[in-house]
């Protein structure tokens, strides 16, 4: 989809909070399309990506205040999810999982043993069939 002026008009309205946004019928009329066209546009990844970017642009000034409130909410409401979010925002907690291995005294994987095991399984399969 190539975004045209009617798409950007819809995006401008759809990026507003519901309490400030016109109805879908009003947005569609302003854009010169049907409400079902708006629904179809929302299914398009290019339209949806631009809508998300506009929502961020609309709210970027509020982010510092929001981030400052997260720890306060976590503490006053004893909210574990907010505490987790506060730690994630400040880079003190991630969803990254680290796996470490310890080498065996033989220096790693015994390739010869693995090959022998594969051969034994092949032979067993042949005798089972």
């Amino acid at each position: 989809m190539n975004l045209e002026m009617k798409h950007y008009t819809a995006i401008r309205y759809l990026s507003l909070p519901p309490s400030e946004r016109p109805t879908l019928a009003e947005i569609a009329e302003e854009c010169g399309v049907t409400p079902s066209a708006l629904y179809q546009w929302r299914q398009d990844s290019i339209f949806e990506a631009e809508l998300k970017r506009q929502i961020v642009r609309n709210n970027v000034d509020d982010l510092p205040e929001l981030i400052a409130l997260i720890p306060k909410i976590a503490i006053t409401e004893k909210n574990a999810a907010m505490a987790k979010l506060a730690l994630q925002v400040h880079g003190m907690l991630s969803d990254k999982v680290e796996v470490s291995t310890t080498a065996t005294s033989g220096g790693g994987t015994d390739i010869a043993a693995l090959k022998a095991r594969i051969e034994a399984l092949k032979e067993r399969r042949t005798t089972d069939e």
Side-chain angles (χ1 to χ4, degrees):
M1 165 187 280
N2 288 328
L3 297 179
E4 300 173 12
M5 185 55 76
K6 61 185 176 183
H7 298 113
Y8 287 107
T9 299
I11 287 168
R12 184 183 66 213
Y13 288 121
L14 291 171
S15 66
L16 296 172
S19 62
E20 300 174 24
R21 176 187 319 154
T23 66
L24 289 181
E26 292 169 332
I27 295 171
E29 184 178 337
E30 178 77 21
C31 297
V33 298
T34 63
S36 63
L38 291 177
Y39 177 79
Q40 291 173 347
W41 292 353
R42 294 291 308 262
Q43 307 310 306
D44 185 272
S45 60
I46 294 172
F47 182 89
E48 197 64 18
E50 184 58 31
L51 175 58
K52 288 177 183 177
R53 283 191 291 274
Q54 185 59 47
I55 290 169
V56 169
R57 285 189 292 266
N58 289 355
N59 294 288
V60 73
D61 291 338
D62 296 329
L63 289 178
E65 184 178 355
L66 174 63
I67 290 171
L69 287 174
I70 292 172
K72 293 174 185 165
I73 294 169
I75 292 167
T76 59
E77 296 183 14
K78 297 180 179 21
N79 185 321
M82 287 300 240
K84 179 182 177 184
L85 181 59
L87 292 171
Q88 287 173 327
V89 164
H90 295 291
M92 298 173 72
L93 180 66
S94 73
D95 291 330
K96 180 173 70 170
V97 177
E98 293 184 28
V99 178
S100 61
T101 61
T102 56
T104 61
S105 60
T109 305
D110 186 351
I111 302 296
L114 287 175
K115 287 180 179 180
R117 175 95 171 125
I118 291 169
E119 288 303 316
L121 289 171
K122 285 180 183 178
E123 286 178 29
R124 192 166 107 194
R125 181 187 292 165
T126 305
T127 57
D128 288 346
E129 291 175 356

